[in-house]
Amino acid sequence: MNVKTAVQQARANSRSGEKTFQSFVAILLTVGGLLMVLPFAWMILSSFKTEGEVTQIPPTIWPQHFTLDNFKTLFDSMAFGTYLTNTLVIVLASFFGLFLNAMAGYGFAKFKFKGRGFLFYLVLATMMIPGQVTMIPVYLILNQMGLTNTMMGIVLPGLVGAFAIFLFRQFMSDIPEELLEATRLDGAGEFRTFLQIVLPISTPILAVQAILTFIGGWNSFLWPLIIANDEKLYTLSVGLSLLKGQNESQFALQMAGSTFMVLPIMIIFIVFQKYIIENYTISGIK
């Protein structure tokens, strides 16, 4: 009886220890999360403050007087409307490139042709080359084509990507051949089969890649800065860099520009973080 009681007591102590450890971890993660969120919250709230309130000591968290003057200045005096338009053009072009990546992945997954394996491994090999290495050759090629300082020169190199082709190929490889053959027997061509059968089945991976494509296009900075000499072709990221250089002492204006740049990415990530994590899970399993 004493032995049984001792065992039960040990189990109870073990459960109590586990609960205590879980509570400690939860508190630690909560505190860490708040510390991570605090700078973003302060940045967003500071974008609605006046310049005097942003620089006052001690600093305030909640604005004493909400104002939209900082955002008005961005669009009236800093050409952020032009930067936004250029960024949206890049994002839309990237979505078209997403469609091309899906077509390439489908071709590698379901079509048998000579050199398919070699070409696919060649595509994968490009993932091992840092983008900074290829920027100069790509710039020289576009310069020979007369596409430097043009929107076409900005969007063209980013239309397709090895990583997206790889993910589409791995996902579409699991689509049953019988389903595609039945569609072809009904008289559908390959392009119609791709649009009406393959793409709807590939909705999960399409959604994930669309999110990553939006984030990549929205954050475009280095390549537009290299290829474009005209400020009318700059993106939001480049415009934010110019804002920081030209208005070093106007912190409220910088907070407004940073908020306008970061807030959509934060919303996208918060809403779709499950799909983004699943994307990397799929790539790891495949």
Side-chain angles (χ1 to χ4, degrees):
M1 189 69 177
N2 293 334
V3 175
K4 184 177 181 181
T5 303
V7 171
Q8 292 176 347
Q9 184 65 31
R11 290 177 177 174
N13 292 337
S14 177
R15 295 192 198 98
S16 177
E18 290 179 359
K19 291 181 179 180
T20 302
F21 177 75
Q22 291 175 356
S23 299
F24 173 75
V25 171
I27 294 173
L28 186 64
L29 291 177
T30 301
V31 173
L34 291 175
L35 291 176
M36 292 292 292
V37 170
L38 183 60
F40 290 101
W42 186 83
M43 175 189 71
I44 294 172
L45 293 174
S46 295
S47 65
F48 297 100
K49 299 177 182 178
T50 61
E51 184 64 33
E53 186 178 354
V54 171
T55 57
Q56 77 178 27
I57 302 296
T60 60
I61 298 297
W62 195 261
Q64 298 174 354
H65 303 284
F66 273 88
T67 177
L68 296 175
D69 291 342
N70 297 318
F71 293 97
K72 293 179 181 178
T73 302
L74 289 178
F75 286 90
D76 294 340
S77 304
M78 301 300 299
F80 258 63
T82 301
Y83 303 152
L84 176 61
T85 301
N86 296 335
T87 302
L88 292 177
V89 169
I90 293 175
V91 170
L92 292 177
S94 299
F95 283 141
F96 175 70
L98 180 64
F99 180 74
L100 298 179
N101 289 327
M103 292 181 64
Y106 175 63
F108 280 120
K110 294 302 180 182
F111 288 91
K112 296 181 181 179
F113 53 89
K114 188 176 181 179
R116 180 181 69 168
F118 172 77
L119 288 176
F120 181 66
Y121 288 123
L122 190 63
V123 170
L124 293 183
T126 62
M127 296 173 59
M128 305 177 189
I129 304 174
Q132 294 82 356
V133 174
T134 59
M135 281 185 178
I136 294 177
V138 172
Y139 179 87
L140 294 177
I141 293 173
L142 293 176
N143 188 43
Q144 291 293 327
M145 298 172 62
L147 294 178
T148 54
N149 202 35
T150 63
M151 184 57 66
M152 181 63 69
I154 294 176
V155 302
L156 192 59
L159 284 182
V160 295
F163 182 67
I165 293 175
F166 168 73
L167 285 183
F168 279 117
R169 187 260 187 187
Q170 297 300 94
F171 187 90
M172 293 176 180
S173 295
D174 294 332
I175 298 177
E177 289 286 352
E178 294 79 7
L179 179 61
L180 301 180
E181 288 296 332
T183 306
R184 296 183 184 113
L185 290 175
D186 287 339
E190 291 298 337
F191 191 68
R192 182 180 175 186
T193 300
F194 175 73
L195 290 179
Q196 297 185 355
I197 303 298
V198 177
L199 285 185
I201 294 176
S202 304
T203 299
I205 197 68
L206 274 172
V208 172
Q209 283 301 116
I211 296 167
L212 297 179
T213 298
F214 172 82
I215 294 175
W218 187 265
N219 289 329
S220 299
F221 173 74
L222 186 57
W223 182 247
L225 182 62
I226 292 174
I227 201 72
N229 299 323
D230 191 347
E231 188 175 342
K232 294 181 179 179
L233 296 174
Y234 285 169
T235 60
L236 283 173
S237 295
V238 180
L240 185 61
S241 178
L242 291 176
L243 174 64
K244 181 179 178 182
Q246 297 174 359
N247 302 271
E248 292 184 0
S249 60
Q250 296 182 342
F251 299 107
L253 192 62
Q254 294 182 38
M255 293 300 103
S258 300
T259 298
F260 188 77
M261 181 70 200
V262 173
L263 196 58
I265 301 298
M266 294 177 63
I267 294 174
I268 289 292
F269 184 80
I270 291 173
V271 175
F272 298 103
Q273 60 178 323
K274 180 181 71 173
Y275 301 101
I276 297 175
I277 295 173
E278 286 179 356
N279 173 76
Y280 292 104
T281 302
I282 292 172
S283 62
I285 293 175
K286 294 291 185 178

